[in-house]
């Protein structure tokens, strides 16, 4: 599947649109919208230091805004504004301890959806640099890049920090982007039902666990057997350039 899809999204001219163009547009539009919202808010309520401190105190207050969560006559719970509680109220509500403001909102004023988007940017850049940009700089293409390369970077013994850093970046990348995509879809579709949002949260956990287990499985592959020696030399060139060792 990876090899088949790569022939499409890395096609001449298409990659700049399907990958770099759409990704850049998504990130820049999100940042621009946040700037415009903040400016509109300040024009409406003012931009004094006292107001900023008041907003910080309001965020840190453990009590949710009264319109964030509502319950219908038939007992159906709805999340009307997910900026404070995220997809379904976090792990506390999942285990029946009730809704609480997310730490990210209380500390930084960011919804979990916004925070996972911002946190994903450097992780996606790391992945793109390691698997696409560096091979392009070294050889002009990335035809050698496959799942064998992913296995190889997790078993790299020449750079001791490499496997450790990859084990931090890639599971985080899987978890953050999975949450961002599913939570973003539900927000776009205006899904407010807590029952449906719990299903979305279950999908986030399931897909993330499967993805992380897949990486674990790849890391157990003996690349000395599965990867030809001349390909290993190419992989070493990519890794050395990635870690700025020329």
């Amino acid at each position: 599947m990876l090899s088949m899809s790569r022939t499409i999204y890395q096609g001449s001219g298409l990659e700049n649109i399907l990958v770099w163009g759409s990704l850049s547009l998504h990130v820049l539009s999100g940042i621009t919208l946040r700037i415009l919202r903040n400016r509109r808010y300040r024009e409406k309520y003012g931009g004094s230091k006292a107001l900023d401190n008041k907003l910080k105190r309001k965020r840190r207050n453990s009590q949710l805004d009264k319109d964030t969560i509502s319950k219908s006559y038939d007992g159906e719970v709805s999340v009307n504004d997910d900026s404070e509680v995220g997809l379904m109220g976090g792990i506390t509500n999942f285990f029946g301890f009730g809704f609480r403001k997310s730490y990210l909102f209380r500390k930084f004023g960011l919804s979990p959806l916004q925070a996972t988007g911002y946190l994903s940017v450097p992780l996606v850049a790391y992945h793109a640099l390691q698997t696409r940009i560096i091979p392009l700089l070294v050889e002009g293409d990335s035809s050698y890049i496959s799942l064998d390369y992913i296995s190889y970077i997790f078993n790299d013994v020449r750079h001791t920090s490499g496997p450790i850093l990859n084990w931090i970046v890639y599971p985080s990348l899987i978890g953050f982007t999975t949450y961002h995509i599913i939570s973003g879809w539900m927000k776009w579709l205006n899904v407010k039902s807590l029952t449906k949002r719990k299903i979305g949260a279950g999908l986030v956990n399931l897909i993330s666990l499967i993805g992380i287990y897949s990486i674990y499985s790849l890391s157990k592959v003996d690349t000395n057997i599965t990867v030809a020696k001349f390909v290993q030399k190419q992989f070493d060139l990519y890794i050395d350039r990635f870690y700025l060792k020329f």
Side-chain angles (χ1 to χ4, degrees):
M1 290 295 294
L2 179 64
S3 299
M4 291 171 61
S5 60
R6 192 166 53 192
T7 60
I8 299 174
Y9 70 76
Q10 289 185 358
S12 178
L14 288 178
E15 184 176 16
N16 291 334
I17 298 173
L18 296 178
V19 182
W20 305 117
S22 61
L23 183 62
S24 300
L25 182 62
H26 181 73
V27 173
L28 291 175
S29 61
I31 294 174
T32 302
L33 285 172
R34 181 167 179 79
I35 293 173
L36 292 176
R37 287 195 193 101
N38 288 343
R39 181 179 296 178
R40 185 180 301 172
Y41 186 89
R42 288 183 175 277
E43 288 175 353
K44 184 176 181 180
Y45 297 103
S48 65
K49 186 70 173 178
L51 178 64
D52 289 342
N53 292 333
K54 182 180 179 181
L55 290 174
K56 288 180 180 179
R57 288 195 298 270
K58 183 180 179 180
R59 287 204 314 261
R60 291 168 183 168
N61 186 345
S62 61
Q63 293 183 343
L64 298 173
D65 290 345
K66 60 180 181 179
D67 296 328
T68 300
I69 308 296
S70 64
K71 182 181 290 188
S72 63
Y73 289 108
D74 58 2
E76 177 67 28
V77 178
S78 297
V79 179
N80 301 313
D81 183 4
D82 60 2
S83 60
E84 295 185 14
V85 297
L87 191 58
M88 50 146 289
I91 193 169
T92 55
N93 189 53
F94 189 83
F95 288 106
F97 295 106
F99 288 95
R100 293 182 184 179
K101 287 184 179 180
S102 73
Y103 174 82
L104 294 167
F105 181 79
R106 288 187 286 110
K107 189 70 175 179
F108 305 104
L110 293 172
S111 70
L113 176 61
Q114 293 170 332
T116 51
Y118 291 130
L119 290 170
S120 295
V121 171
L123 304 179
V124 171
Y126 178 98
H127 172 62
L129 183 66
Q130 191 175 55
T131 61
R132 181 61 172 157
I133 297 174
I134 290 296
L136 284 174
L137 293 175
V138 173
E139 289 200 311
D141 65 36
S142 58
S143 57
Y144 284 115
I145 301 301
S146 64
L147 293 178
D148 286 333
Y149 181 64
I150 302 300
S151 299
Y152 197 82
I153 63 176
F154 275 92
N155 290 283
D156 175 33
V157 295
R158 298 182 309 118
H159 306 88
T160 54
S161 61
I164 297 174
L165 187 59
N166 288 327
W167 270 116
I168 294 173
V169 170
Y170 281 97
S172 300
L173 174 63
I174 291 170
F176 291 157
T177 54
T178 301
Y179 181 95
H180 190 71
I181 291 170
I182 292 180
S183 180
W185 275 346
M186 301 194 83
K187 187 176 183 67
W188 177 262
L189 296 173
N190 199 30
V191 176
K192 295 183 178 181
S193 168
L194 180 61
T195 301
K196 295 179 179 179
R197 295 173 76 90
K198 282 187 175 182
I199 294 174
L203 284 174
V204 170
N205 294 330
L206 178 62
I207 295 172
S208 298
L209 288 173
I210 290 173
I212 294 170
Y213 179 76
S214 299
I215 290 178
Y216 171 77
S217 298
L218 287 171
S219 70
K220 294 301 180 181
V221 174
D222 188 351
T223 51
N224 288 319
I225 298 175
T226 60
V227 180
K229 293 298 181 183
F230 79 94
V231 177
Q232 291 185 36
K233 290 181 180 180
Q234 297 302 121
F235 289 173
D236 289 337
L237 287 175
Y238 302 156
I239 295 172
D240 287 342
R241 182 66 63 89
F242 182 75
Y243 291 108
L244 302 177
K245 294 186 177 181
F246 300 95

